[in-house]
Amino acid sequence: MRVVKLTLAYDGTGFVGWQRQAGGASIQAIVERAIEPFASRDGLALAGAGRTDAGVHAIGQAVSARVDDRMSPADLQRALNARLPPAIRVTGAEEASATFHARYAASAKTYAYHIVQGPFVMPFEVRYAWHVPRALDLAPMREACAALAGTHDFAAFRAAGSRVRDTRRTIFEARLDVDRDGTHVTFTCRGDGFLRHMVRSLVGTLVDVGHGRFPAGHLAALLAAPDRGAVGATAPPHGLFLVSVDY
Amino acid sequence: MRVVKLTLAYDGTGFVGWQRQAGGASIQAIVERAIEPFASRDGLALAGAGRTDAGVHAIGQAVSARVDDRMSPADLQRALNARLPPAIRVTGAEEASATFHARYAASAKTYAYHIVQGPFVMPFEVRYAWHVPRALDLAPMREACAALAGTHDFAAFRAAGSRVRDTRRTIFEARLDVDRDGTHVTFTCRGDGFLRHMVRSLVGTLVDVGHGRFPAGHLAALLAAPDRGAVGATAPPHGLFLVSVDY
């Protein structure tokens, strides 16, 4: 038996998300089917670090699995890429300690959210960015962003119906980057954990700040006194990428 | 009546190419349907500068059309983008002279061909680059590339069955660019005109040079003495982009 750590990139378009659920193909189920022939006799115990939602993409999802030790991680990577659809690629494979679990062992995750502002989105980007036609005022958005670093109660920014008890999370870094012509705005956020829909809810609220619907201080106020009714709409999933997982 | 010059970007995946033909949706037919309500009474006379093949993309296709002059080019662009599918975007619109024809008036076109070398292609690029798993030796490819500039007989590099009489074309610039980690190789070529499949046939031959199947001088030899049997396989369409058209 060998525990491997796999790094996965995937285009989440058309998938129901990382986790198995009724009514569609999950990334996890497809990866499990591909890795099945190489599973250890003790069972696969496949675990993904981030449970990305339907339509969310990954550049560096981390996955742990127990496999047969007759195959090297490099050979396993090759075999999996031959078996997986092109929308899912194994970009790295390495041996991990026998107790390694991709979700429990993660110390931080980085998410990026891509926005294209302006009259249109190029056809090549339409599946990977949220189109916001109306111009964004970036200065108050940056100011709002600065309030994110630190440990806060993110209860206002979780999915409706979520019943997680502890809604405090620590954000190590949050920033907005803009490309030279001003059309591509990227929100990047690194933290010790994220509530369901948290990044998308933060982005929806930031966009409302950029449109003047909320003042720059609104985000900080919601962290100080959570109020789910006062956040912006949840941004659509297709702009979101799980960029990397730290251990 | 007003003649407009439109600049189009499109994702060619799933289309039969620019030109109308039986058995599938052409970019031209879809653009014609979108622009129909704004056509001049004398007829649309829609013309595209490059007749891109099935699966080929465009960043800067140029199109001429005769439209009703009650609508400004900017309003026309907005209206078209509202009517077209996300895979086709009008990125620019301007008034042109009454005699402007996007194909006949073009003085040069620039094409780019994207290759990803190495064990895998990221899911986000799989529709926009040719995957060449085996490592390419770039030095002889660059040497072969250098032979392209100038006026040559490209008869060896045209599509099978093509019956164009004059197969001489002038290439103003041809180059290979490689990204920092060496995985992304882009062939860019600017010329006064291109035979059908010419860029893809040149790329197929360049890749054979990069794999040592042909020497660096092979391309120059084929320009001096055309021999369709001695060129590489035609590279697949999905790596090819019509980048821009000069007037």
PDB file of all heavy atoms in Angstrom, chain B residues 165-201:
ATOM      1  N   ARG B 165      -4.425  28.456 -59.011  1.00  0.00           N
ATOM      2  CA  ARG B 165      -3.406  28.442 -60.053  1.00  0.00           C
ATOM      3  C   ARG B 165      -2.071  29.028 -59.583  1.00  0.00           C
ATOM      4  O   ARG B 165      -1.028  28.438 -59.767  1.00  0.00           O
ATOM      5  CB  ARG B 165      -3.906  29.188 -61.304  1.00  0.00           C
ATOM      6  CG  ARG B 165      -4.146  28.197 -62.454  1.00  0.00           C
ATOM      7  CD  ARG B 165      -4.790  28.885 -63.628  1.00  0.00           C
ATOM      8  NE  ARG B 165      -6.032  29.541 -63.213  1.00  0.00           N
ATOM      9  CZ  ARG B 165      -6.678  30.425 -63.957  1.00  0.00           C
ATOM     10  NH1 ARG B 165      -6.207  30.777 -65.136  1.00  0.00           N
ATOM     11  NH2 ARG B 165      -7.807  30.959 -63.530  1.00  0.00           N
ATOM     12  N   ASP B 166      -2.169  30.209 -58.937  1.00  0.00           N
ATOM     13  CA  ASP B 166      -0.921  30.847 -58.500  1.00  0.00           C
ATOM     14  C   ASP B 166      -0.639  30.469 -57.053  1.00  0.00           C
ATOM     15  O   ASP B 166      -1.344  30.889 -56.146  1.00  0.00           O
ATOM     16  CB  ASP B 166      -1.045  32.369 -58.644  1.00  0.00           C
ATOM     17  CG  ASP B 166       0.252  33.070 -58.271  1.00  0.00           C
ATOM     18  OD1 ASP B 166       1.259  32.377 -57.985  1.00  0.00           O
ATOM     19  OD2 ASP B 166       0.266  34.315 -58.264  1.00  0.00           O
ATOM     20  N   THR B 167       0.376  29.687 -56.819  1.00  0.00           N
ATOM     21  CA  THR B 167       0.684  29.216 -55.465  1.00  0.00           C
ATOM     22  C   THR B 167       1.859  29.981 -54.845  1.00  0.00           C
ATOM     23  O   THR B 167       2.423  29.553 -53.847  1.00  0.00           O
ATOM     24  CB  THR B 167       0.985  27.701 -55.480  1.00  0.00           C
ATOM     25  OG1 THR B 167       1.980  27.442 -56.488  1.00  0.00           O
ATOM     26  CG2 THR B 167      -0.264  26.905 -55.808  1.00  0.00           C
ATOM     27  N   ARG B 168       2.198  31.112 -55.440  1.00  0.00           N
ATOM     28  CA  ARG B 168       3.259  31.953 -54.861  1.00  0.00           C
ATOM     29  C   ARG B 168       2.631  32.911 -53.840  1.00  0.00           C
ATOM     30  O   ARG B 168       1.599  33.510 -54.094  1.00  0.00           O
ATOM     31  CB  ARG B 168       3.984  32.749 -55.957  1.00  0.00           C
ATOM     32  CG  ARG B 168       4.819  31.842 -56.869  1.00  0.00           C
ATOM     33  CD  ARG B 168       5.395  32.626 -58.035  1.00  0.00           C
ATOM     34  NE  ARG B 168       6.398  33.590 -57.601  1.00  0.00           N
ATOM     35  CZ  ARG B 168       7.663  33.299 -57.375  1.00  0.00           C
ATOM     36  NH1 ARG B 168       8.103  32.056 -57.533  1.00  0.00           N
ATOM     37  NH2 ARG B 168       8.516  34.232 -57.000  1.00  0.00           N
ATOM     38  N   ARG B 169       3.268  33.007 -52.704  1.00  0.00           N
ATOM     39  CA  ARG B 169       2.808  33.918 -51.661  1.00  0.00           C
ATOM     40  C   ARG B 169       4.036  34.583 -51.033  1.00  0.00           C
ATOM     41  O   ARG B 169       5.135  34.028 -51.074  1.00  0.00           O
ATOM     42  CB  ARG B 169       2.042  33.168 -50.554  1.00  0.00           C
ATOM     43  CG  ARG B 169       0.726  32.531 -51.008  1.00  0.00           C
ATOM     44  CD  ARG B 169      -0.342  33.568 -51.334  1.00  0.00           C
ATOM     45  NE  ARG B 169      -1.621  32.959 -51.706  1.00  0.00           N
ATOM     46  CZ  ARG B 169      -1.958  32.572 -52.943  1.00  0.00           C
ATOM     47  NH1 ARG B 169      -1.089  32.696 -53.951  1.00  0.00           N
ATOM     48  NH2 ARG B 169      -3.163  32.054 -53.168  1.00  0.00           N
ATOM     49  N   THR B 170       3.792  35.759 -50.438  1.00  0.00           N
ATOM     50  CA  THR B 170       4.891  36.457 -49.776  1.00  0.00           C
ATOM     51  C   THR B 170       4.685  36.435 -48.266  1.00  0.00           C
ATOM     52  O   THR B 170       3.619  36.827 -47.781  1.00  0.00           O
ATOM     53  CB  THR B 170       4.990  37.913 -50.269  1.00  0.00           C
ATOM     54  OG1 THR B 170       5.263  37.892 -51.678  1.00  0.00           O
ATOM     55  CG2 THR B 170       6.110  38.661 -49.549  1.00  0.00           C
ATOM     56  N   ILE B 171       5.684  35.940 -47.567  1.00  0.00           N
ATOM     57  CA  ILE B 171       5.636  35.928 -46.096  1.00  0.00           C
ATOM     58  C   ILE B 171       6.505  37.087 -45.605  1.00  0.00           C
ATOM     59  O   ILE B 171       7.683  37.183 -45.942  1.00  0.00           O
ATOM     60  CB  ILE B 171       6.168  34.582 -45.551  1.00  0.00           C
ATOM     61  CG1 ILE B 171       5.282  33.423 -46.054  1.00  0.00           C
ATOM     62  CG2 ILE B 171       6.221  34.600 -44.022  1.00  0.00           C
ATOM     63  CD1 ILE B 171       3.824  33.502 -45.659  1.00  0.00           C
ATOM     64  N   PHE B 172       5.891  37.963 -44.829  1.00  0.00           N
ATOM     65  CA  PHE B 172       6.629  39.120 -44.311  1.00  0.00           C
ATOM     66  C   PHE B 172       7.418  38.756 -43.055  1.00  0.00           C
ATOM     67  O   PHE B 172       8.479  39.285 -42.798  1.00  0.00           O
ATOM     68  CB  PHE B 172       5.665  40.272 -44.005  1.00  0.00           C
ATOM     69  CG  PHE B 172       4.809  40.662 -45.179  1.00  0.00           C
ATOM     70  CD1 PHE B 172       3.418  40.605 -45.109  1.00  0.00           C
ATOM     71  CD2 PHE B 172       5.393  41.067 -46.378  1.00  0.00           C
ATOM     72  CE1 PHE B 172       2.630  40.950 -46.196  1.00  0.00           C
ATOM     73  CE2 PHE B 172       4.607  41.419 -47.471  1.00  0.00           C
ATOM     74  CZ  PHE B 172       3.225  41.356 -47.386  1.00  0.00           C
ATOM     75  N   GLU B 173       6.827  37.865 -42.257  1.00  0.00           N
ATOM     76  CA  GLU B 173       7.491  37.486 -41.011  1.00  0.00           C
ATOM     77  C   GLU B 173       7.002  36.114 -40.577  1.00  0.00           C
ATOM     78  O   GLU B 173       5.814  35.805 -40.703  1.00  0.00           O
ATOM     79  CB  GLU B 173       7.158  38.498 -39.899  1.00  0.00           C
ATOM     80  CG  GLU B 173       8.080  38.387 -38.696  1.00  0.00           C
ATOM     81  CD  GLU B 173       7.552  39.094 -37.444  1.00  0.00           C
ATOM     82  OE1 GLU B 173       6.533  39.814 -37.538  1.00  0.00           O
ATOM     83  OE2 GLU B 173       8.160  38.904 -36.382  1.00  0.00           O
ATOM     84  N   ALA B 174       7.918  35.285 -40.084  1.00  0.00           N
ATOM     85  CA  ALA B 174       7.547  33.995 -39.513  1.00  0.00           C
ATOM     86  C   ALA B 174       8.465  33.753 -38.333  1.00  0.00           C
ATOM     87  O   ALA B 174       9.682  33.937 -38.442  1.00  0.00           O
ATOM     88  CB  ALA B 174       7.695  32.880 -40.539  1.00  0.00           C
ATOM     89  N   ARG B 175       7.885  33.386 -37.195  1.00  0.00           N
ATOM     90  CA  ARG B 175       8.745  33.162 -36.030  1.00  0.00           C
ATOM     91  C   ARG B 175       8.148  32.143 -35.068  1.00  0.00           C
ATOM     92  O   ARG B 175       6.949  31.852 -35.095  1.00  0.00           O
ATOM     93  CB  ARG B 175       9.018  34.475 -35.298  1.00  0.00           C
ATOM     94  CG  ARG B 175       7.787  35.142 -34.730  1.00  0.00           C
ATOM     95  CD  ARG B 175       8.187  36.325 -33.830  1.00  0.00           C
ATOM     96  NE  ARG B 175       7.129  36.553 -32.866  1.00  0.00           N
ATOM     97  CZ  ARG B 175       6.046  37.325 -33.117  1.00  0.00           C
ATOM     98  NH1 ARG B 175       5.902  37.943 -34.276  1.00  0.00           N
ATOM     99  NH2 ARG B 175       5.120  37.457 -32.196  1.00  0.00           N
ATOM    100  N   LEU B 176       9.022  31.593 -34.234  1.00  0.00           N
ATOM    101  CA  LEU B 176       8.618  30.664 -33.175  1.00  0.00           C
ATOM    102  C   LEU B 176       8.858  31.340 -31.841  1.00  0.00           C
ATOM    103  O   LEU B 176       9.949  31.862 -31.594  1.00  0.00           O
ATOM    104  CB  LEU B 176       9.489  29.406 -33.208  1.00  0.00           C
ATOM    105  CG  LEU B 176       9.125  28.234 -34.092  1.00  0.00           C
ATOM    106  CD1 LEU B 176      10.028  27.056 -33.739  1.00  0.00           C
ATOM    107  CD2 LEU B 176       7.668  27.822 -33.949  1.00  0.00           C
ATOM    108  N   ASP B 177       7.848  31.334 -30.982  1.00  0.00           N
ATOM    109  CA  ASP B 177       8.026  31.860 -29.628  1.00  0.00           C
ATOM    110  C   ASP B 177       7.789  30.731 -28.636  1.00  0.00           C
ATOM    111  O   ASP B 177       6.926  29.877 -28.852  1.00  0.00           O
ATOM    112  CB  ASP B 177       7.032  32.995 -29.352  1.00  0.00           C
ATOM    113  CG  ASP B 177       7.308  34.213 -30.205  1.00  0.00           C
ATOM    114  OD1 ASP B 177       8.442  34.719 -30.134  1.00  0.00           O
ATOM    115  OD2 ASP B 177       6.402  34.635 -30.954  1.00  0.00           O
ATOM    116  N   VAL B 178       8.553  30.758 -27.561  1.00  0.00           N
ATOM    117  CA  VAL B 178       8.418  29.719 -26.540  1.00  0.00           C
ATOM    118  C   VAL B 178       8.251  30.400 -25.191  1.00  0.00           C
ATOM    119  O   VAL B 178       8.905  31.408 -24.925  1.00  0.00           O
ATOM    120  CB  VAL B 178       9.676  28.821 -26.508  1.00  0.00           C
ATOM    121  CG1 VAL B 178       9.452  27.630 -25.580  1.00  0.00           C
ATOM    122  CG2 VAL B 178      10.022  28.357 -27.898  1.00  0.00           C
ATOM    123  N   ASP B 179       7.365  29.886 -24.354  1.00  0.00           N
ATOM    124  CA  ASP B 179       7.190  30.515 -23.037  1.00  0.00           C
ATOM    125  C   ASP B 179       8.315  30.081 -22.106  1.00  0.00           C
ATOM    126  O   ASP B 179       9.158  29.248 -22.445  1.00  0.00           O
ATOM    127  CB  ASP B 179       5.809  30.205 -22.447  1.00  0.00           C
ATOM    128  CG  ASP B 179       5.675  28.755 -22.022  1.00  0.00           C
ATOM    129  OD1 ASP B 179       6.484  27.919 -22.472  1.00  0.00           O
ATOM    130  OD2 ASP B 179       4.761  28.442 -21.250  1.00  0.00           O
ATOM    131  N   ARG B 180       8.330  30.664 -20.915  1.00  0.00           N
ATOM    132  CA  ARG B 180       9.451  30.487 -19.997  1.00  0.00           C
ATOM    133  C   ARG B 180       9.709  29.027 -19.644  1.00  0.00           C
ATOM    134  O   ARG B 180      10.837  28.589 -19.580  1.00  0.00           O
ATOM    135  CB  ARG B 180       9.212  31.307 -18.721  1.00  0.00           C
ATOM    136  CG  ARG B 180      10.457  32.071 -18.301  1.00  0.00           C
ATOM    137  CD  ARG B 180      10.222  32.836 -17.015  1.00  0.00           C
ATOM    138  NE  ARG B 180       9.104  33.762 -17.129  1.00  0.00           N
ATOM    139  CZ  ARG B 180       8.630  34.495 -16.124  1.00  0.00           C
ATOM    140  NH1 ARG B 180       9.178  34.401 -14.923  1.00  0.00           N
ATOM    141  NH2 ARG B 180       7.613  35.318 -16.309  1.00  0.00           N
ATOM    142  N   ASP B 181       8.644  28.261 -19.410  1.00  0.00           N
ATOM    143  CA  ASP B 181       8.884  26.869 -19.015  1.00  0.00           C
ATOM    144  C   ASP B 181       9.008  25.916 -20.207  1.00  0.00           C
ATOM    145  O   ASP B 181       9.160  24.708 -20.026  1.00  0.00           O
ATOM    146  CB  ASP B 181       7.829  26.394 -17.996  1.00  0.00           C
ATOM    147  CG  ASP B 181       6.484  26.082 -18.627  1.00  0.00           C
ATOM    148  OD1 ASP B 181       6.325  26.293 -19.847  1.00  0.00           O
ATOM    149  OD2 ASP B 181       5.587  25.631 -17.907  1.00  0.00           O
ATOM    150  N   GLY B 182       8.970  26.461 -21.414  1.00  0.00           N
ATOM    151  CA  GLY B 182       9.267  25.655 -22.588  1.00  0.00           C
ATOM    152  C   GLY B 182       8.125  24.793 -23.100  1.00  0.00           C
ATOM    153  O   GLY B 182       8.281  24.088 -24.098  1.00  0.00           O
ATOM    154  N   THR B 183       6.967  24.836 -22.452  1.00  0.00           N
ATOM    155  CA  THR B 183       5.881  23.949 -22.874  1.00  0.00           C
ATOM    156  C   THR B 183       5.018  24.539 -23.997  1.00  0.00           C
ATOM    157  O   THR B 183       4.450  23.797 -24.784  1.00  0.00           O
ATOM    158  CB  THR B 183       4.940  23.600 -21.697  1.00  0.00           C
ATOM    159  OG1 THR B 183       4.450  24.823 -21.132  1.00  0.00           O
ATOM    160  CG2 THR B 183       5.676  22.821 -20.628  1.00  0.00           C
ATOM    161  N   HIS B 184       4.922  25.859 -24.057  1.00  0.00           N
ATOM    162  CA  HIS B 184       4.057  26.500 -25.046  1.00  0.00           C
ATOM    163  C   HIS B 184       4.880  27.061 -26.198  1.00  0.00           C
ATOM    164  O   HIS B 184       5.657  27.992 -25.996  1.00  0.00           O
ATOM    165  CB  HIS B 184       3.239  27.617 -24.421  1.00  0.00           C
ATOM    166  CG  HIS B 184       2.227  27.124 -23.436  1.00  0.00           C
ATOM    167  ND1 HIS B 184       2.566  26.607 -22.204  1.00  0.00           N
ATOM    168  CD2 HIS B 184       0.870  27.045 -23.509  1.00  0.00           C
ATOM    169  CE1 HIS B 184       1.473  26.238 -21.569  1.00  0.00           C
ATOM    170  NE2 HIS B 184       0.430  26.482 -22.327  1.00  0.00           N
ATOM    171  N   VAL B 185       4.675  26.500 -27.375  1.00  0.00           N
ATOM    172  CA  VAL B 185       5.401  26.928 -28.558  1.00  0.00           C
ATOM    173  C   VAL B 185       4.393  27.544 -29.524  1.00  0.00           C
ATOM    174  O   VAL B 185       3.383  26.910 -29.848  1.00  0.00           O
ATOM    175  CB  VAL B 185       6.109  25.727 -29.233  1.00  0.00           C
ATOM    176  CG1 VAL B 185       6.869  26.167 -30.473  1.00  0.00           C
ATOM    177  CG2 VAL B 185       7.046  25.034 -28.237  1.00  0.00           C
ATOM    178  N   THR B 186       4.642  28.759 -29.947  1.00  0.00           N
ATOM    179  CA  THR B 186       3.719  29.418 -30.860  1.00  0.00           C
ATOM    180  C   THR B 186       4.428  29.799 -32.154  1.00  0.00           C
ATOM    181  O   THR B 186       5.488  30.423 -32.137  1.00  0.00           O
ATOM    182  CB  THR B 186       3.111  30.692 -30.218  1.00  0.00           C
ATOM    183  OG1 THR B 186       2.441  30.311 -29.025  1.00  0.00           O
ATOM    184  CG2 THR B 186       2.116  31.357 -31.165  1.00  0.00           C
ATOM    185  N   PHE B 187       3.833  29.388 -33.263  1.00  0.00           N
ATOM    186  CA  PHE B 187       4.329  29.751 -34.595  1.00  0.00           C
ATOM    187  C   PHE B 187       3.462  30.897 -35.091  1.00  0.00           C
ATOM    188  O   PHE B 187       2.231  30.782 -35.142  1.00  0.00           O
ATOM    189  CB  PHE B 187       4.196  28.550 -35.529  1.00  0.00           C
ATOM    190  CG  PHE B 187       4.472  28.855 -36.983  1.00  0.00           C
ATOM    191  CD1 PHE B 187       5.757  29.165 -37.418  1.00  0.00           C
ATOM    192  CD2 PHE B 187       3.443  28.818 -37.921  1.00  0.00           C
ATOM    193  CE1 PHE B 187       6.013  29.442 -38.764  1.00  0.00           C
ATOM    194  CE2 PHE B 187       3.689  29.090 -39.276  1.00  0.00           C
ATOM    195  CZ  PHE B 187       4.975  29.404 -39.682  1.00  0.00           C
ATOM    196  N   THR B 188       4.092  32.032 -35.404  1.00  0.00           N
ATOM    197  CA  THR B 188       3.352  33.184 -35.895  1.00  0.00           C
ATOM    198  C   THR B 188       3.833  33.515 -37.297  1.00  0.00           C
ATOM    199  O   THR B 188       5.035  33.510 -37.566  1.00  0.00           O
ATOM    200  CB  THR B 188       3.553  34.405 -34.973  1.00  0.00           C
ATOM    201  OG1 THR B 188       3.233  34.031 -33.643  1.00  0.00           O
ATOM    202  CG2 THR B 188       2.666  35.568 -35.394  1.00  0.00           C
ATOM    203  N   CYS B 189       2.896  33.801 -38.175  1.00  0.00           N
ATOM    204  CA  CYS B 189       3.233  33.980 -39.585  1.00  0.00           C
ATOM    205  C   CYS B 189       2.379  35.105 -40.172  1.00  0.00           C
ATOM    206  O   CYS B 189       1.150  35.073 -40.077  1.00  0.00           O
ATOM    207  CB  CYS B 189       2.951  32.662 -40.301  1.00  0.00           C
ATOM    208  SG  CYS B 189       3.676  32.566 -41.926  1.00  0.00           S
ATOM    209  N   ARG B 190       3.037  36.109 -40.754  1.00  0.00           N
ATOM    210  CA  ARG B 190       2.326  37.228 -41.383  1.00  0.00           C
ATOM    211  C   ARG B 190       2.670  37.228 -42.864  1.00  0.00           C
ATOM    212  O   ARG B 190       3.854  37.191 -43.225  1.00  0.00           O
ATOM    213  CB  ARG B 190       2.735  38.546 -40.716  1.00  0.00           C
ATOM    214  CG  ARG B 190       1.988  39.758 -41.226  1.00  0.00           C
ATOM    215  CD  ARG B 190       2.231  40.982 -40.326  1.00  0.00           C
ATOM    216  NE  ARG B 190       1.813  42.178 -41.032  1.00  0.00           N
ATOM    217  CZ  ARG B 190       2.612  42.933 -41.783  1.00  0.00           C
ATOM    218  NH1 ARG B 190       3.894  42.656 -41.890  1.00  0.00           N
ATOM    219  NH2 ARG B 190       2.119  43.983 -42.418  1.00  0.00           N
ATOM    220  N   GLY B 191       1.624  37.233 -43.704  1.00  0.00           N
ATOM    221  CA  GLY B 191       1.886  37.172 -45.135  1.00  0.00           C
ATOM    222  C   GLY B 191       0.803  37.860 -45.931  1.00  0.00           C
ATOM    223  O   GLY B 191      -0.235  38.256 -45.383  1.00  0.00           O
ATOM    224  N   ASP B 192       1.048  38.006 -47.248  1.00  0.00           N
ATOM    225  CA  ASP B 192       0.054  38.698 -48.083  1.00  0.00           C
ATOM    226  C   ASP B 192      -1.119  37.793 -48.432  1.00  0.00           C
ATOM    227  O   ASP B 192      -2.160  38.258 -48.921  1.00  0.00           O
ATOM    228  CB  ASP B 192       0.710  39.293 -49.343  1.00  0.00           C
ATOM    229  CG  ASP B 192       1.202  38.231 -50.313  1.00  0.00           C
ATOM    230  OD1 ASP B 192       1.271  37.035 -49.939  1.00  0.00           O
ATOM    231  OD2 ASP B 192       1.527  38.594 -51.467  1.00  0.00           O
ATOM    232  N   GLY B 193      -0.963  36.499 -48.201  1.00  0.00           N
ATOM    233  CA  GLY B 193      -2.042  35.568 -48.480  1.00  0.00           C
ATOM    234  C   GLY B 193      -1.592  34.168 -48.112  1.00  0.00           C
ATOM    235  O   GLY B 193      -0.390  33.917 -47.974  1.00  0.00           O
ATOM    236  N   PHE B 194      -2.561  33.277 -47.936  1.00  0.00           N
ATOM    237  CA  PHE B 194      -2.247  31.918 -47.517  1.00  0.00           C
ATOM    238  C   PHE B 194      -3.088  30.944 -48.329  1.00  0.00           C
ATOM    239  O   PHE B 194      -4.290  31.160 -48.526  1.00  0.00           O
ATOM    240  CB  PHE B 194      -2.546  31.753 -46.021  1.00  0.00           C
ATOM    241  CG  PHE B 194      -1.634  32.569 -45.131  1.00  0.00           C
ATOM    242  CD1 PHE B 194      -1.929  33.904 -44.846  1.00  0.00           C
ATOM    243  CD2 PHE B 194      -0.472  32.015 -44.623  1.00  0.00           C
ATOM    244  CE1 PHE B 194      -1.082  34.661 -44.037  1.00  0.00           C
ATOM    245  CE2 PHE B 194       0.385  32.768 -43.822  1.00  0.00           C
ATOM    246  CZ  PHE B 194       0.075  34.094 -43.533  1.00  0.00           C
ATOM    247  N   LEU B 195      -2.468  29.876 -48.794  1.00  0.00           N
ATOM    248  CA  LEU B 195      -3.223  28.813 -49.461  1.00  0.00           C
ATOM    249  C   LEU B 195      -4.011  28.049 -48.403  1.00  0.00           C
ATOM    250  O   LEU B 195      -3.689  28.092 -47.214  1.00  0.00           O
ATOM    251  CB  LEU B 195      -2.256  27.854 -50.161  1.00  0.00           C
ATOM    252  CG  LEU B 195      -1.333  28.508 -51.197  1.00  0.00           C
ATOM    253  CD1 LEU B 195      -0.225  27.529 -51.608  1.00  0.00           C
ATOM    254  CD2 LEU B 195      -2.143  28.950 -52.415  1.00  0.00           C
ATOM    255  N   ARG B 196      -5.007  27.311 -48.865  1.00  0.00           N
ATOM    256  CA  ARG B 196      -5.791  26.498 -47.938  1.00  0.00           C
ATOM    257  C   ARG B 196      -4.874  25.486 -47.238  1.00  0.00           C
ATOM    258  O   ARG B 196      -4.066  24.831 -47.895  1.00  0.00           O
ATOM    259  CB  ARG B 196      -6.898  25.792 -48.727  1.00  0.00           C
ATOM    260  CG  ARG B 196      -7.836  25.041 -47.854  1.00  0.00           C
ATOM    261  CD  ARG B 196      -9.284  25.102 -48.309  1.00  0.00           C
ATOM    262  NE  ARG B 196     -10.097  24.550 -47.246  1.00  0.00           N
ATOM    263  CZ  ARG B 196     -10.685  23.354 -47.312  1.00  0.00           C
ATOM    264  NH1 ARG B 196     -10.645  22.630 -48.411  1.00  0.00           N
ATOM    265  NH2 ARG B 196     -11.351  22.893 -46.272  1.00  0.00           N
ATOM    266  N   HIS B 197      -4.975  25.387 -45.911  1.00  0.00           N
ATOM    267  CA  HIS B 197      -4.188  24.462 -45.068  1.00  0.00           C
ATOM    268  C   HIS B 197      -2.702  24.809 -45.005  1.00  0.00           C
ATOM    269  O   HIS B 197      -1.910  24.039 -44.452  1.00  0.00           O
ATOM    270  CB  HIS B 197      -4.316  23.005 -45.546  1.00  0.00           C
ATOM    271  CG  HIS B 197      -5.663  22.402 -45.260  1.00  0.00           C
ATOM    272  ND1 HIS B 197      -5.934  21.078 -45.445  1.00  0.00           N
ATOM    273  CD2 HIS B 197      -6.813  22.963 -44.808  1.00  0.00           C
ATOM    274  CE1 HIS B 197      -7.201  20.840 -45.138  1.00  0.00           C
ATOM    275  NE2 HIS B 197      -7.753  21.978 -44.737  1.00  0.00           N
ATOM    276  N   MET B 198      -2.319  25.951 -45.573  1.00  0.00           N
ATOM    277  CA  MET B 198      -0.883  26.263 -45.678  1.00  0.00           C
ATOM    278  C   MET B 198      -0.213  26.380 -44.308  1.00  0.00           C
ATOM    279  O   MET B 198       0.839  25.768 -44.083  1.00  0.00           O
ATOM    280  CB  MET B 198      -0.713  27.562 -46.484  1.00  0.00           C
ATOM    281  CG  MET B 198       0.723  28.022 -46.640  1.00  0.00           C
ATOM    282  SD  MET B 198       0.761  29.418 -47.830  1.00  0.00           S
ATOM    283  CE  MET B 198       2.011  30.456 -47.064  1.00  0.00           C
ATOM    284  N   VAL B 199      -0.817  27.122 -43.387  1.00  0.00           N
ATOM    285  CA  VAL B 199      -0.175  27.293 -42.073  1.00  0.00           C
ATOM    286  C   VAL B 199      -0.104  25.941 -41.358  1.00  0.00           C
ATOM    287  O   VAL B 199       0.930  25.567 -40.795  1.00  0.00           O
ATOM    288  CB  VAL B 199      -0.929  28.326 -41.209  1.00  0.00           C
ATOM    289  CG1 VAL B 199      -0.268  28.453 -39.834  1.00  0.00           C
ATOM    290  CG2 VAL B 199      -0.975  29.682 -41.892  1.00  0.00           C
ATOM    291  N   ARG B 200      -1.197  25.185 -41.410  1.00  0.00           N
ATOM    292  CA  ARG B 200      -1.216  23.891 -40.711  1.00  0.00           C
ATOM    293  C   ARG B 200      -0.233  22.898 -41.335  1.00  0.00           C
ATOM    294  O   ARG B 200       0.362  22.073 -40.628  1.00  0.00           O
ATOM    295  CB  ARG B 200      -2.635  23.319 -40.721  1.00  0.00           C
ATOM    296  CG  ARG B 200      -3.579  24.137 -39.826  1.00  0.00           C
ATOM    297  CD  ARG B 200      -5.036  23.867 -40.146  1.00  0.00           C
ATOM    298  NE  ARG B 200      -5.343  22.449 -40.075  1.00  0.00           N
ATOM    299  CZ  ARG B 200      -6.464  21.905 -40.557  1.00  0.00           C
ATOM    300  NH1 ARG B 200      -7.376  22.678 -41.156  1.00  0.00           N
ATOM    301  NH2 ARG B 200      -6.674  20.623 -40.459  1.00  0.00           N
ATOM    302  N   SER B 201      -0.033  22.990 -42.642  1.00  0.00           N
ATOM    303  CA  SER B 201       0.916  22.112 -43.308  1.00  0.00           C
ATOM    304  C   SER B 201       2.354  22.519 -42.955  1.00  0.00           C
ATOM    305  O   SER B 201       3.225  21.662 -42.724  1.00  0.00           O
ATOM    306  CB  SER B 201       0.667  22.180 -44.816  1.00  0.00           C
ATOM    307  OG  SER B 201       1.560  21.351 -45.503  1.00  0.00           O
TER     308      SER B 201
END
